[in-house]
């Protein structure tokens, strides 16, 4: 990795102030900016993006990867807040396929999310195969079935009620979902035509946080595109109950941290409602 300050530098100090790794050094205001600690660079691109004179030349960011910004194209604060207010989980989906360019924009939104120390270890698996979607729902139901069987004895009931109350309170829902699944009604993915699983390496210290930052981006992008989506909490619960098994089925080298079911809506919400404000 190579970083050079060229002759265009006006010594404005912006790269010095913005760099999280303190790669750049300037002894006094308007003195020469030097690349003091290049080994501390995390390749975030802040220096290249902030320089008004294109004076920072970074081997990780050739000209083809640097694009001008027009802040005039940003949504207004009112438009952004409306999007946030309007975004809701929508489980009423049709069997219509999601356009591929919509899926591309949703996954790009995930990759654009920030990550701890700019590690960029977040990866996505987009599943649209109907048989595989059914297999994932079945895996989830079977995971819950194992809990139901444990609770069906007195000792198991005591353990879950005493030490896992959050899981215990979902038992009626688990039983209902299993019964409906056997009738052909999928209460896990709800007829979604796509499933986006977000995962990171098992060793990633901030994998969960990074993945859910990516999820937030995808959720807002899906809302913009008019694509229904909801967080697949039950699928994630099953991955924790049977650690590594769904990843193995899907060929994922890492840990699933977040998931989003996607589909074209049968209808959309006409209003937004206020939430608790604390």
């Amino acid at each position: 990795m190579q970083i050079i300050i060229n002759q265009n530098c006006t010594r404005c100090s912006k790269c010095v102030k913005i760099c999280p790794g303190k790669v750049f050094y300037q002894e006094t205001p308007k003195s020469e900016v030097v690349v003091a600690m290049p080994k501390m660079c995390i390749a975030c691109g802040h220096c290249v993006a902030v320089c008004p004179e294109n004076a920072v030349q970074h081997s990780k960011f050739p000209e083809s990867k640097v694009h001008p910004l027009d802040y005039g194209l940003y949504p207004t604060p009112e438009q952004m807040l409306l999007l946030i207010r309007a975004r809701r989980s929508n489980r009423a989906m049709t069997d219509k396929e999601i356009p591929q360019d919509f899926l591309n924009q949703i996954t790009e939104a995930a990759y654009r999310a920030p990550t701890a120390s700019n590690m960029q270890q977040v990866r996505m698996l987009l599943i649209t195969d109907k048989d595989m979607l059914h297999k994932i729902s079945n895996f989830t139901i079977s995971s819950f079935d194992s809990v139901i069987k444990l609770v069906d004895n007195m000792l198991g009931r005591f353990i879950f009620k005493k030490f896992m109350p959050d899981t215990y309170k979902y038992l009626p829902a688990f039983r209902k979902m299993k019964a409906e699944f056997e009738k052909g009604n999928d209460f896990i993915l709800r007829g979604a035509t796509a499933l986006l699983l977000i995962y990171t390496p098992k060793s990633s210290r901030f994998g969960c946080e990074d993945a859910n930052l990516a999820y937030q981006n995808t959720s807002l992008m899906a809302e913009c595109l008019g694509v229904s989506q909801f967080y697949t909490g039950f699928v994630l619960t099953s991955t924790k109950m049977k650690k590594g098994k769904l990843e193995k089925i899907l060929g994922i080298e890492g840990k699933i941290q977040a998931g989003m079911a996607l589909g074209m809506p049968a209808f959309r919400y006409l209003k937004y409602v206020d939430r608790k404000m604390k």
Side-chain angles (χ1 to χ4, degrees):
M1 185 161 54
Q2 187 178 39
I3 309 169
I4 297 172
I5 306 293
N6 68 28
Q7 68 275 11
N8 294 337
C9 179
T10 60
R11 305 181 179 184
C12 69
S13 305
K14 290 179 179 178
C15 61
V16 179
K17 294 174 180 176
I18 206 72
C19 179
K22 302 301 180 183
V23 170
F24 305 96
Y25 175 74
Q26 189 176 34
E27 186 173 358
T28 61
K30 291 300 178 180
S31 65
E32 182 184 7
V33 176
V34 297
V35 182
M37 294 190 291
K39 290 183 179 179
M40 296 299 292
C41 179
I42 61 172
C44 64
H46 288 351
C47 56
V48 175
V50 80
C51 183
E53 303 297 335
N54 300 320
V56 182
Q57 294 180 308
H58 199 302
S59 59
K60 290 287 185 179
F61 304 101
E63 189 176 345
S64 62
K65 288 190 174 184
V66 183
H67 311 279
L69 270 175
D70 182 355
Y71 285 106
L73 297 177
Y74 267 30
T76 65
E78 293 79 14
Q79 289 171 332
M80 191 66 213
L81 189 55
L82 177 61
L83 172 63
I84 292 169
R85 287 169 172 167
R87 196 226 66 80
R88 299 186 72 85
S89 299
N90 187 344
R91 294 173 175 81
M93 302 180 183
T94 69
D95 57 3
K96 183 180 178 182
E97 291 187 3
I98 304 168
Q100 186 59 49
D101 62 320
F102 284 14
L103 293 173
N104 293 343
Q105 291 179 77
I106 289 169
T107 53
E108 181 182 349
Y111 280 119
R112 295 286 183 179
T115 58
S117 299
N118 194 44
M119 292 295 288
Q120 299 184 46
Q121 294 178 319
V122 173
R123 297 291 179 265
M124 259 77 60
L125 178 64
L126 181 65
I127 302 164
T128 56
D129 180 77
K130 291 181 180 179
D131 291 338
M132 182 54 72
L133 292 172
H134 180 80
K135 192 171 185 178
I136 291 169
S137 291
N138 187 59
F139 173 88
T140 304
I141 292 294
S142 67
S143 300
F144 296 158
D145 192 35
S146 63
V147 174
I148 293 170
K149 289 176 180 177
L150 281 172
V151 177
D152 280 341
N153 68 73
M154 189 174 294
L155 178 60
R157 189 177 301 111
F158 171 79
I159 292 171
F160 273 90
K161 195 171 184 179
K162 180 73 175 178
F163 300 105
M164 303 174 68
D166 289 340
T167 301
Y168 185 81
K169 72 179 182 181
Y170 275 106
L171 282 172
F174 293 166
R175 294 182 190 276
K176 175 69 174 176
M177 285 187 288
K178 180 188 175 185
E180 290 295 330
F181 193 73
E182 290 171 351
K183 296 177 186 177
N185 301 320
D186 184 357
F187 278 22
I188 302 299
L189 295 181
R190 304 281 185 150
T193 56
L195 173 64
L196 183 67
L197 294 175
I198 306 174
Y199 64 97
T200 62
K202 293 179 182 178
S203 60
S204 179
R205 184 179 176 186
F206 297 103
C208 180
E209 293 83 352
D210 288 347
N212 281 285
L213 284 170
Y215 179 94
Q216 184 66 14
N217 273 19
T218 62
S219 181
L220 292 175
M221 177 56 76
E223 184 68 31
C224 279
L225 294 167
V227 176
S228 292
Q229 34 83 30
F230 63 88
Y231 196 86
T232 55
F234 287 126
V235 175
L236 294 176
T237 298
S238 70
T239 65
K240 294 174 183 177
M241 294 166 64
K242 294 187 174 181
K243 292 182 180 180
K245 290 191 176 181
L246 184 58
E247 286 87 347
K248 186 175 181 179
I249 291 170
L250 298 172
I252 289 175
E253 294 185 6
K255 181 180 179 182
I256 297 171
Q257 304 280 13
M260 175 184 287
L262 297 153
M264 297 309 294
F267 46 81
R268 299 184 73 181
Y269 293 99
L270 301 179
K271 299 176 279 290
Y272 71 83
V273 298
D274 291 332
R275 293 176 178 266
K276 291 180 182 179
M277 301 294 285
K278 296 183 179 180

